[in-house]
Amino acid sequence: MTHRRVVVTGLGIVSPVGSTVESAWEAIREGRSGIGPITRFDTTDFPCKIGGDVADFDLSKYLAAKEARKTDPFVQYGIAAGSQAVNDSGIEINETNTARVGVAMGAGIGGLTTIENNYRRYLESRSPRKISPFFVPSSIINMISGYLSIMHGLRGPNLALVTACTTGTHSIGVAARAIAYGDAELMLAGGAEMATTELAIGGFCMAKALSTRNEDPEGASRPWDSDRDGFVLSDGAAALMLEEREHARARGANIYAELIGFGMSGDAHHITAPLEDGSGARLCMENALRDARIDASEVDYINAHGTSTQLGDVAETIAIKAAFGPHAAKLAVSSTKSMTGHLLGAAGAVEALFSVLALRDQILPPTINLQTPGDGCDLDYVPNTARDARINVVLSNSFGFGGTNGTLIFRQPD
């Protein structure tokens, strides 16, 4: 960041590997997969029958039953993760600071469950009276930020970005810049998604994007492995409370990490496929390094986009080599998607959270299910088992449909 310094003072998560920060992080450290059979609808005719449902989630902790009926599950997940992060930060929001605390929580797709259910009721009845009056506000993407703003009294910037699988990363980066440029003292930022629905699973199946390793759900997400056959769709949310560094110090906040760099780029190439030479991703990482004002050799670990697709995994590997040169051979690079699956608009926020915890605990998360690296996949992917390491700087990548790229860089707090 080129202006005021930004730190992380709160964390929250709802995910297939756990719906508290410590339970999710324990699963990641231990290399446990959260992928299983899809049970919320009949998958008989679907090529892919597996996904990552949220684990151990109790909505009643965050929303009353009456209010919950007005919200899509993706909004509920975002509310839960955001509320955890607010509470974890220890910030007391009152009349003196309410205008200086904002929120930026997005999603990649939005309220598919609500859209599907309401359209189904309409088709069955052919009457608009069967459409819920809460249909629109329960399914639009900015409602996560809207609810969190109302529930916690956040009267600062109220934003919702939509950049496909880069949403969570972009939300955190843009929120950090709002602090760096003086628009807020604190920003709650991240992403949420609930896309293991008939339409989304069906659409991704028809695009041949999803793994069909249905007999081995826990082994289906296998970034960089020679037997990878697509990504696994998952649900959940994550949020980081970002705060101006001196503000956090003055109130004695627990500082997890400093967010020192944010980079963006566009592939200008294809709506779904990455540039084969990885040049869009390389540019994004280089922009983040420039923003952080550090040399590439200072990065210790990369939490990769690593979706388990044939093209994407190789392109990201090529991009890392191009951006880091000889240092790429010394880098640890892993994909926590091997355990969580791909949470689309929430993925970047989930992976930013794990990056921050890797710094806190000095642990490199593993890439599970990596038995034989595929062609062109020749970095240190921390295969199968977490590893203790000295980590000072972590980089987290996200790349989305439309060729939109985002990179965050975190450093140990000083």
Side-chain angles (χ1 to χ4, degrees), residues 77-102:
Y77 298 159
I79 289 171
S83 296
Q84 288 178 27
V86 171
N87 293 336
D88 186 43
S89 74
I91 187 68
E92 181 181 341
I93 300 165
N94 51 44
E95 284 302 313
T96 64
N97 65 9
T98 177
R100 301 292 294 164
V101 188

Side-chain angles (χ1 to χ4, degrees), residues 287-371:
N287 288 340
L289 289 166
R290 185 180 304 109
D291 187 46
R293 299 182 180 182
I294 62 172
D295 188 78
S297 63
E298 296 180 60
V299 177
D300 302 301
Y301 166 61
I302 295 177
N303 190 302
H305 187 57
T307 58
S308 190
T309 62
Q310 290 292 335
L311 292 178
D313 287 4
V314 175
E316 187 171 9
T317 297
I318 293 170
I320 291 169
K321 291 179 180 179
F324 288 88
H327 184 61
K330 303 175 184 178
L331 275 169
V333 180
S334 71
S335 174
T336 48
K337 286 188 181 74
S338 61
M339 292 162 280
T340 66
H342 192 355
L343 282 81
L344 304 183
V350 168
E351 289 148 23
L353 182 147
F354 291 148
S355 297
V356 167
L357 293 174
L359 277 173
R360 184 194 70 177
D361 292 350
Q362 298 288 283
I363 291 175
L364 299 171
T367 303
I368 68 168
N369 303 318
L370 180 51
Q371 305 305 322

